[in-house]
Amino acid sequence: MTDHTARLDHVVLWVSDPVAAADFYEQAVGLEPLRVAEFKDGSVSFPSVRIDEGTILDLAPVSMAPRMTMLPGADRSAGHPVNHVCLALTEDGYDSLRARLEERDVPVSDHGRHSYGARGPAVRSFYFNDPDGNVFEARYYEEG
């Protein structure tokens, strides 16, 4: 495998309620929440959740869109579609995630098999939505 110097650092998701979104990602998806207390007390603009040691999802409130002035038109990015975000898990993590989502009555797709991803074909995968309609894929690869 090629050792690239670029790595995925974060993905920003527009959400209607960042605290509720952080709770969903912690309770249903199993991700560690970050900066929720600081968001609640107003000292940071948004909370995040940690995917792994080098990757987070930022949970930006849609109300923040008018302050996106880093590029012309960036303020109109709220609501722009992202097809989906994919989480690669171990087989146990995959099964646990699906069980937590089903316990919370979060609709999940049927299992896919051998869909191509960053590490080749995945053994199994499925899709689900977060409460704001963002689409996620969960998958696992053969160990080894």
Side-chain angles (χ1 to χ4, degrees), residues 10-85:
H10 68 276
V11 173
V12 179
L13 299 177
W14 289 113
V15 299
S16 58
D17 181 340
V19 174
D23 183 64
F24 171 81
Y25 286 109
E26 178 182 19
Q27 300 299 318
V29 183
L31 302 179
E32 173 191 1
L34 305 170
R35 305 178 343 142
V36 175
E38 294 90 336
F39 174 74
K40 286 180 178 179
D41 73 19
S43 61
V44 299
S45 299
F46 53 86
S48 305
V49 291
R50 182 161 300 287
I51 294 176
D52 62 29
E53 64 279 351
T55 311
I56 60 175
L57 296 176
D58 291 333
L59 307 172
V62 174
S63 61
M64 195 172 124
R67 297 192 311 241
M68 297 291 98
T69 58
M70 69 289 280
L71 293 171
D75 60 327
R76 294 186 306 273
S77 69
H80 278 216
V82 169
N83 185 280
H84 70 278
V85 175

Side-chain angles (χ1 to χ4, degrees), residues 91 94 111-116 119-126 138-143:
E91 183 176 1
Y94 174 94
H111 292 281
R113 298 194 185 283
H114 309 294
S115 58
Y116 185 78
R119 298 184 342 207
V123 176
R124 290 171 59 200
S125 63
F126 71 89
R139 61 173 44 214
Y140 72 92
Y141 295 93
E142 284 186 9
E143 298 299 315

Side-chain angles (χ1 to χ4, degrees), residues 73-108:
D75 60 327
R76 294 186 306 273
S77 69
H80 278 216
V82 169
N83 185 280
H84 70 278
V85 175
C86 182
L87 303 174
L89 307 161
T90 64
E91 183 176 1
D92 288 342
Y94 174 94
D95 291 336
S96 294
L97 170 58
R98 190 170 179 103
R100 285 192 307 274
L101 293 169
E102 289 174 343
E103 286 170 7
R104 289 167 177 77
D105 296 321
V106 175
V108 296

